[in-house]
Amino acid sequence: MNFLSGRGILLFSSALLTVGAGFAIGSEMSGDNTEELEQVASVTSPTTMAVEVDEEGIPINPIEADQLLSPAGTYLKFVAQTAGTFVVTAPSEPGGQILIDGDVVVDASGLSAEDADPLVPFKSFVALTAGDHIIELLGPYQSGKFAAQITIGQVGGQSTPLAYAATAVESPEARQLIASLTGRIPTEGVQGQQGLFPLGAGRVPFTIGGSSSTVSRTNAAAAGANSGSSDGSSTMPGAAAMQMAAATQQGSGGSTTTSGSGTSTGSGSSGGSDNVVVTPPANAPGTPGNGSQNPTTPAPVTPVTPIVVDPTAATASPLTPPTGVQITQAVQLTSAGSEEGIVANSGSTLFGQVQDPQAFDIVNATIAPSGRTATVDVGATNGQFAVRLFTEDFDGQSNIQVTLSAANSTNTEVESLPVTYAFTGQTPTDGLAQALGRLTFGATPELYARVQAIGFEAFVNEQLNPDAINDNAFEGQNPQQLYYSEDNNQNQTFRSLNELQIAYAAFTQKQLNEVMANFWFNHFHASPKSNRKYQQVLVDRNAFRDLALTNFDTLLQYSAKSPLMSEFLDNDDSRAGNLNENYARELLELHTVGVDGGYGDEDIIEVARVFTGWRYRQTNEASPNDAQPTWEFEFQSNRHDDGTKTIAFINEVVGGGQAEGERLLSILAQLPQTRDYVCGKLVGYLVSDTPVPSMQANCAAAWEATNGDVKEILRSIILDTNYITNADIKRNKIKTPFEYAVSAVRVLGVVPDFSDDNYLDDFRQVMEDAGFNPMFYPVPTGLAEVGDAWLGSASVQMAFERMSDVVQNSDDFGIDTLSEVRDAGLETAEEVAAYLLALATADHYSLQEFNTLVAVLKGEDGIFEPQIADETDALVKAKGLLVVMPNFQVQ
C-alpha cells in the first residue's frame, strides 16, 4: 500500500516490517527445511581487501558472479566485538529475507517488483550482545551479487559487507549456536516463511524504529505478553551536555529497529491488523527454555539513572541543533539545557533527532506535571525536530519530565516506544536577555553566538573596549555618505540624519558604544533652529559616538561648547548685561544636578553669567552658498561678564573668563546630586523604568571613585549580579520607535547598502510615523525613554503598518531568510519558529506566539520543508508576523 507521509511517499507492500533481534512478524509458518545450507565462499578480512564489483555491481571476489547459494538459505556467523546497536542494510529486493539468531530483521517476501525501490534500502537496527550471532540469508539475498550490498556495522561506526564481516557455517553448527543463544530449539528455515521457530503462546509487540505499534501493544497485553523494559537512555556527544533521565519499554532486550521503503505491517495484511504475529525474543516469557509462562503487565515509563554527556560539548543553543550526534535510539534529544539538565524556566528549546525519518515524520511530546502535549514535525533530511518548553510547563515547579515518542502522521501503527527526559528549570543566568535587549540594538545570529560562546561578562568587557573591535566591514561601506549635505533642504537633510543613525545602530559591531552614544545624544538633546546648523547635528552625533565611553566631565564640556546647543538654548544671544538663562537652567535641571538638585533662581542667574561669551564661529566662509556651513566653539570675551559669580547652592565663587565656565562644569560633573540624577537616568535606560535604588547607589559610588569614568560606571550597573539574575528586571522595558525600527533591521537580516541614499528610508518612516523624530523635537528634555510614552495605540499602529510594508518588500533589502535557515541546518517549522523568536525576543516568547508562527510557516497545506523546497513566501509571512508580535516590542 502507498501512503503520503507529508515527507514524500513511502511504499508499504505486504512484506513484513523489519524488526530487531528477537522479533519477527507475519503469518504463521508451516513446514520444515530439510536441506542443509551450503557454505558461502571464504571470507577475507575487511582490513586487507576491498569489495571488487563488475559493471553490473556483482562482486568479482570473493564470491563468483555465477554462484547461487542453496535455495534453502545461507548461514553466516557474525562476531560482535562489543555489545550495542547494529544496523543491517539490504537492498529493497522482492522475496528476500534476513534473519539474525532466528528472528526476521529484513523481510521483503511480500514486496512486489513495482514497489521495490533500489534507491531506498531496508535499514534494520538490532541490539546485539558481544560475541557470536547467526545471520541467515533467504531468497534473492543468497545471490552473490548482494555480497557487497548487504552490510552490517555498529551504529555510529563503519558498516562492512557481510561477505567480509561474517564467515559461512554449516547448518548444524548454526542451529546449535542459535539454540545456545536463545534457549530455543530451531527448526530448519524455509524461504518465504517467517523465521526458524514454531509459534509459541508468548507474543510481544512488533517494533519499528525502536517502537511498538498501538495495535500490537494492545494485542500483546491481551495475549498476556511481557514487553519487558530496558534502559533506553541516550547520550549526546557534541551537543549540550545535560543531566537527563530516559526510559523506554522495549522487547528483545532493548532492540531498536527501523525499516526502509518497501515495508509493511504484516504478511498479506494492511495496517497491522490482528493477523500480525510476532515470534518471541530470546528469554521472552512463555517461550521454550525460558522457564516462565506467567504473563506480566508492561512496565510503566519511568525515569532511569540520569545521563551526563560529553562535558566538553558546546553549550546548547536555542538557535540551531547540533550536528554529528550519534543517534542510538528511535527518538533522542540531541541538545537541551546544561550538562546538569538545567533549562531556563522562562522557556527553552529542546532539539532532537529520530533514527529513521523515512518511518517517522512526527514526534509526540508530553510534558509533566503540566500535562501539555505537542506534536512536532520531523525533518525529512536528517530527522531533526524541536520541542519548546514554556513558562507554564513549569507551573511553579522546578522539576519536569518530557516524554517523547516518534510516529507517522498517516499510519497510527508506526509509533516508537516512549523516552522520558527529566529537567530542572531555573531562572536564566547567562545574561543573554540583557545583553541582546539592552546592551545592543537587537540580536543577530552572529551576535547571539558570540555572547553565548564567550559569556556575558566577557562580552561586556569586549564591548567596553570599542577601539579593539574590528568594525571594518561597516566602516568600509562609508555610512556617512547617507548624510545629505548638498543644499539646505531641511526635510531631506533631517531624513538623512535619521537614516544615518539607524545605519550605525543596526550595523556597527560596537553595539554598546552606539547604545551609549544615543543615550548621551538624547541626554544633551539639541535640535537645530535654523538650516545653518544642520551640519552641526552630524558633527555632534559623531562626537558623542567618539566620547560615549569616556568621562562625564568630557561629555559635559563638549555639550556646553557645541554650536548646536548654544543656538538651541539661546546661549549665543546671552551676553553681559543682557542675560539669557535658558542654557543655565537646562544645564542644571537636565544635564547635571536635576530639578531637585537644590539650586534656586539666583543660582540660575549666576550660572548664566558664567557662560556669557560662549558662542561659535563659522569655519567655511568661503564655501559656495549651497553648502551647509560648519562651525566651531569660540569664546568671545567682549560678550563675557567679567564679574565674580557666587553660586550659593554649591558654595562656589568663580571668575576668570572661559576657564571659570570649564571649572564650573567640572565641579557640577562631580556633585553628588549629578551622580544621583544621571545614574537614575542610566539605570532607567539600561535596567528598568522603575527606579532600582541599589543599582543607582552602585553607579554613584563608581562615579565618585573614578571621577565619572563612563566605562566603570557602566560596569557597576551591568556587571551587578542582579542585572542578569533578577527576573523582575528582565524583559521589562518597551522599545522606543527608534529601537523598534533598528531591531527590525537586525532581526530581518537586512544587508547594508549605503550607496543607495533611500535604502533605509522605510525604516526611518517606521519610527517617524510613530512619533520619534529628534530633529523636530523642540523640548530640551529629549525624547522619552520609558515605555509608557510609546504605548499609545496610534503610534504603535502606525509603526506596525509601516513595518508590514517593509517586510513585503524584503527583496529590496537583500533579505534572504531561506538561505539563512538552510545554512543554519533547520528542517522543520518548529525549529525555524524557535530560531526566529529566539533572535527577536532574546529567547523569551509565549506559547501562543510560537504556535502562531509555526502555523504561518506551515501554511494551508501544513507542509514546511525549507531544506528541500523554496519556502521563501512562508518565511516572508513569518517575519512579517514576527516584527509585530508583543514580545518583539519588549527588551
Side-chain angles (χ1 to χ4, degrees):
M1 93 181 149
N2 297 344
F3 66 88
L4 184 63
S5 71
R7 295 292 182 273
I9 295 177
L10 298 180
L11 305 177
F12 276 61
S13 74
S14 60
L16 299 179
L17 292 168
T18 60
V19 297
F23 292 94
I25 50 180
S27 61
E28 297 191 10
M29 59 173 285
S30 63
D32 295 324
N33 280 337
T34 57
E35 296 186 37
E36 291 293 325
L37 304 180
E38 296 181 2
Q39 178 175 315
V40 178
S42 62
V43 177
T44 305
S45 169
T47 62
T48 61
M49 177 178 290
V51 177
E52 298 182 63
V53 297
D54 63 17
E55 57 190 15
E56 297 180 357
I58 297 176
I60 298 171
N61 186 21
I63 308 254
E64 296 296 331
D66 60 352
Q67 180 181 10
L68 290 177
L69 304 177
S70 166
T74 300
Y75 285 120
L76 302 171
K77 181 168 69 174
F78 170 72
V79 181
Q81 299 298 323
T82 59
T85 301
F86 290 75
V87 58
V88 177
T89 303
S92 179
E93 184 69 17
Q97 287 183 311
I98 299 175
L99 297 84
I100 295 183
D101 297 336
D103 294 308
V104 176
V105 295
V106 172
D107 193 336
S109 60
L111 179 66
S112 68
E114 293 78 16
D115 285 342
D117 186 350
L119 298 178
V120 184
F122 290 90
K123 296 176 71 176
S124 179
F125 293 82
V126 186
L128 299 179
T129 58
D132 296 343
H133 298 273
I134 293 297
I135 300 174
E136 184 180 12
L137 306 179
L138 296 176
Y141 289 141
Q142 297 170 266
S143 170
K145 77 173 186 177
F146 292 118
Q149 299 180 48
I150 301 174
T151 65
I152 188 169
Q154 196 158 10
V155 170
Q158 182 68 39
S159 289
T160 304
L162 279 181
Y164 295 152
T167 58
V169 294
E170 298 289 345
S171 174
E173 180 184 348
R175 296 175 67 234
Q176 183 178 7
L177 179 57
I178 292 172
S180 67
L181 289 171
T182 65
R184 297 173 292 179
I185 306 300
T187 60
E188 295 289 356
V190 178
Q191 180 178 344
Q193 295 184 348
Q194 313 301 323
L196 296 177
F197 309 112
L199 294 170
R203 301 292 175 88
V204 297
F206 72 87
T207 65
I208 177 171
S211 65
S212 60
S213 75
T214 303
V215 170
S216 292
R217 284 203 302 267
T218 302
N219 293 343
N226 178 17
S227 68
S229 65
S230 69
D231 184 351
S233 59
S234 65
T235 59
M236 304 182 296
M242 63 181 174
Q243 177 185 7
M244 301 178 301
T248 59
Q249 295 177 358
Q250 293 179 250
S252 184
S255 69
T256 306
T257 64
T258 66
S259 73
S261 174
T263 60
S264 80
T265 54
S267 177
S269 68
S270 173
S273 58
D274 290 345
N275 69 341
V276 175
V277 294
V278 184
T279 57
N283 300 319
T287 60
N290 188 40
S292 172
Q293 299 287 332
N294 298 323
T296 59
T297 303
V301 179
T302 55
V304 297
T305 305
I307 302 298
V308 179
V309 304
D310 184 2
T312 65
T315 304
S317 169
L319 293 182
T320 57
T323 58
V325 179
Q326 180 177 334
I327 306 302
T328 59
Q329 295 186 158
V331 58
Q332 177 179 320
L333 287 184
T334 58
S335 174
S338 70
E339 296 176 14
E340 296 77 22
I342 306 299
V343 294
N345 58 16
S346 57
S348 186
T349 301
L350 314 178
F351 288 108
Q353 197 169 338
V354 302
Q355 259 181 342
D356 190 354
Q358 292 176 333
F360 303 121
D361 67 344
I362 57 174
V363 167
N364 296 311
T366 302
I367 301 164
S370 71
R372 184 172 69 86
T373 61
T375 297
V376 300
D377 284 347
V378 168
T381 305
N382 296 316
Q384 296 169 186
F385 65 88
V387 174
R388 179 71 182 183
L389 301 178
F390 294 92
T391 302
E392 51 264 47
D393 292 326
F394 295 90
D395 193 25
Q397 304 291 319
S398 59
N399 298 318
I400 66 170
Q401 295 179 354
V402 179
T403 300
L404 306 174
S405 62
N408 193 290
S409 61
T410 57
N411 189 337
T412 57
E413 300 292 326
V414 182
E415 180 185 7
S416 78
L417 291 164
V419 181
T420 296
Y421 295 88
F423 298 100
T424 301
Q426 292 183 3
T427 301
T429 59
D430 55 13
L432 276 170
Q434 303 296 59
L436 302 176
R438 308 284 178 79
L439 308 185
T440 76
F441 286 101
T444 64
E446 297 77 16
L447 179 61
Y448 213 118
R450 183 66 179 162
V451 178
Q452 189 176 47
I454 68 175
F456 177 75
E457 184 171 353
F459 173 74
V460 169
N461 290 327
E462 184 177 79
Q463 287 290 308
L464 286 173
N465 187 21
D467 291 341
I469 296 175
N470 187 340
D471 212 13
N472 292 340
F474 171 63
E475 295 289 355
Q477 296 191 53
N478 187 21
Q480 299 280 337
Q481 66 185 311
L482 291 175
Y483 179 66
Y484 188 83
S485 59
E486 297 302 320
D487 57 31
N488 293 318
N489 183 310
Q490 182 189 57
N491 289 333
Q492 192 164 358
T493 301
F494 282 10
R495 286 196 298 267
S496 72
L497 284 166
N498 283 338
E499 289 170 20
L500 180 60
Q501 197 76 343
I502 292 173
Y504 269 94
F507 300 118
T508 182
Q509 298 296 314
K510 303 176 182 181
Q511 282 287 296
L512 181 54
N513 190 85
E514 193 64 24
V515 166
M516 291 308 301
N518 277 273
F519 173 81
W520 296 124
F521 189 78
N522 195 53
H523 180 76
F524 299 111
H525 172 72
S527 60
K529 287 185 174 180
S530 70
N531 57 20
R532 292 178 61 78
K533 296 298 185 300
Y534 294 166
Q535 178 71 21
Q536 191 62 39
V537 178
L538 176 62
V539 172
D540 280 11
R541 284 194 170 183
N542 288 337
F544 284 120
R545 185 170 291 118
D546 293 339
L547 301 174
L549 301 179
T550 57
N551 185 283
F552 182 76
D553 189 0
T554 303
L555 289 156
L556 185 62
Q557 299 277 353
Y558 179 86
S559 171
K561 295 176 180 178
S562 165
L564 181 64
M565 181 65 74
S566 184
E567 180 197 59
F568 180 60
L569 292 179
D570 304 313
N571 204 60
D572 55 349
D573 289 336
S574 185
R575 60 184 183 273
N578 189 15
L579 291 179
N580 187 301
E581 300 171 9
N582 285 351
Y583 175 71
R585 181 177 290 103
E586 307 309 345
L587 170 66
L588 298 176
E589 179 180 334
L590 300 177
H591 300 170
T592 56
V593 298
V595 67
D596 298 321
Y599 61 87
D601 291 341
E602 289 300 318
D603 294 310
I604 294 174
I605 293 172
E606 292 297 283
V607 171
R609 291 177 58 206
V610 169
F611 291 103
T612 52
W614 282 48
R615 301 190 79 238
Y616 45 80
R617 67 180 184 85
Q618 187 172 346
T619 59
N620 61 343
E621 295 287 355
S623 298
N625 292 333
D626 63 351
Q628 295 182 13
T630 57
W631 311 87
E632 68 180 12
F633 170 75
E634 181 177 71
F635 177 74
Q636 298 177 0
S637 58
N638 61 326
R639 301 172 64 90
H640 180 63
D641 184 336
D642 291 325
T644 299
K645 296 90 177 175
T646 301
I647 305 171
F649 88 104
I650 58 174
N651 195 27
E652 286 288 340
V653 177
V654 295
Q658 176 182 336
E660 67 178 329
E662 293 170 342
R663 178 170 176 266
L664 176 60
L665 291 172
S666 294
I667 292 171
L668 291 172
Q670 295 305 319
L671 288 176
Q673 302 97 303
T674 299
R675 297 195 295 263
D676 292 342
Y677 171 67
V678 180
C679 281
K681 288 191 67 175
L682 282 168
V683 171
Y685 183 65
L686 296 171
V687 182
S688 173
D689 292 348
T690 303
V692 184
S694 62
M695 288 189 171
Q696 290 177 216
N698 291 343
C699 171
W703 190 316
E704 182 179 16
T706 63
N707 293 319
D709 186 319
V710 174
K711 291 182 181 180
E712 297 308 314
I713 290 170
L714 292 179
R715 282 195 176 94
S716 74
I717 298 172
I718 58 186
L719 293 183
D720 184 314
T721 55
N722 285 315
Y723 191 61
I724 62 173
T725 59
N726 188 338
D728 293 337
I729 59 177
K730 289 183 181 178
R731 307 287 297 167
N732 67 343
K733 287 181 63 66
I734 303 298
K735 296 174 183 176
T736 68
F738 172 74
E739 292 165 338
Y740 170 65
V742 173
S743 61
V745 172
R746 291 171 66 79
V747 79
L748 290 173
V750 172
V751 178
D753 179 7
F754 305 144
S755 62
D756 180 355
D757 56 8
N758 291 317
Y759 191 64
L760 297 174
D761 189 62
D762 288 337
F763 295 97
R764 174 193 59 79
Q765 290 184 64
V766 167
M767 76 175 198
E768 290 183 4
D769 288 351
F772 194 99
N773 192 346
M775 295 302 96
F776 287 99
Y777 195 68
V779 184
T781 56
L783 288 149
E785 293 167 340
V786 295
D788 289 347
W790 304 109
L791 288 178
S793 59
S795 62
V796 171
Q797 184 66 30
M798 290 296 291
F800 285 0
E801 289 179 1
R802 178 68 66 177
M803 190 62 75
S804 297
D805 294 339
V806 171
V807 177
Q808 293 305 312
N809 298 316
S810 58
D811 288 346
D812 296 340
F813 303 100
I815 300 171
D816 186 1
T817 307
L818 181 60
S819 294
E820 180 184 344
V821 165
R822 286 176 173 174
D823 292 345
L826 307 177
E827 293 193 87
T828 70
E830 289 81 12
E831 285 181 308
V832 172
Y835 172 87
L836 294 176
L837 283 163
L839 288 174
T841 69
D843 209 32
H844 288 67
Y845 52 91
S846 70
L847 173 61
Q848 181 180 3
E849 288 172 322
F850 179 74
N851 287 341
T852 302
L853 201 62
V854 168
V856 168
L857 288 167
K858 290 185 176 181
E860 293 182 359
D861 63 1
I863 299 174
F864 179 75
E865 297 178 320
Q867 293 295 333
I868 58 179
D870 186 351
E871 298 285 8
T872 299
D873 289 345
L875 289 166
V876 168
K877 292 177 182 177
K879 281 202 166 178
L881 174 64
L882 186 73
V883 294
V884 299
M885 282 185 164
N887 271 301
F888 184 65
Q889 321 308 315
V890 182
Q891 59 177 194

